[in-house]
Amino acid sequence: MAEETIFSKIVRREIPSDIVYQDDRVTAFRDINPRARVHILIIPNKLIPSVNEIQEEDEALIGHLFTVAAQVARQENIASDGYRLIFNCGRNGGQEVPHLHMHLLGGEPLKGFGFNC
Ligand code: AMP
């Protein structure tokens, strides 16, 4: 059984965070150390440590993360200009918190990734 992280406490609203969307399956909240004008983390409410632990039964949940990402992007008025979605996985991927999370970054042109940078 994987150890809970601070993200489970955010889901249960046991610690303060700036939640921008929540339903029975996922929670979206502002990153505490934003790397872009808009930087939101979208996570499953249940603990899945990383992409490596995603099971076949989680596929609808993972799809829902993307639907919510697009909805939050519209809510933040960054959808039409575009944005970036990132999952870091494990040590080499730079994952710090072992609770699966999608980074939603936008609100300005993003550098350092993409083929035209
Ligand atoms: P990663 O490096 O992909 O694991 O990203 C973890 C992210 O979680 C980082 O961008 C952190 O700034 C962010 N983070 C860590 N603790 C909190 C917190 N309590 N509230 C919001 N974001 C957090």
Side-chain angles (χ1 to χ4, degrees):
M1 202 44 185
E3 286 270 314
E4 275 193 1
T5 74
I6 197 163
F7 286 3
S8 291
K9 292 191 166 64
I10 288 175
V11 168
R12 294 194 297 264
R13 296 176 185 254
E14 289 169 7
I15 60 163
S17 71
D18 191 353
I19 293 177
V20 297
Y21 177 89
Q22 187 168 46
D23 64 25
D24 59 333
R25 287 185 286 167
V26 308
T27 301
F29 53 97
R30 292 189 198 283
D31 195 293
I32 205 166
N33 178 25
R35 259 56 62 76
R37 193 175 67 75
V38 175
H39 187 175
I40 290 167
L41 302 175
I42 303 158
I43 71 172
N45 292 345
K46 79 167 190 176
L47 173 56
I48 300 173
S50 80
V51 171
N52 282 337
E53 286 77 32
I54 294 172
Q55 306 294 314
E56 224 171 287
E57 71 208 32
D58 299 320
E59 286 176 359
L61 172 61
I62 301 307
H64 189 52
L65 290 179
F66 282 88
T67 311
V68 169
Q71 184 178 326
V72 170
R74 285 192 292 274
Q75 199 174 298
E76 295 285 320
N77 288 314
I78 63 168
S80 58
D81 284 340
Y83 49 88
R84 186 173 294 156
L85 302 174
I86 298 174
F87 286 91
N88 295 324
C89 181
R91 197 173 350 117
N92 282 358
Q95 184 180 6
E96 287 168 6
V97 180
H99 184 135
L100 184 73
H101 50 279
M102 175 195 272
H103 294 260
L104 165 61
L105 295 146
E108 61 184 322
L110 301 168
K111 299 215 164 41
F113 208 72
F115 297 107
N116 55 355
C117 304

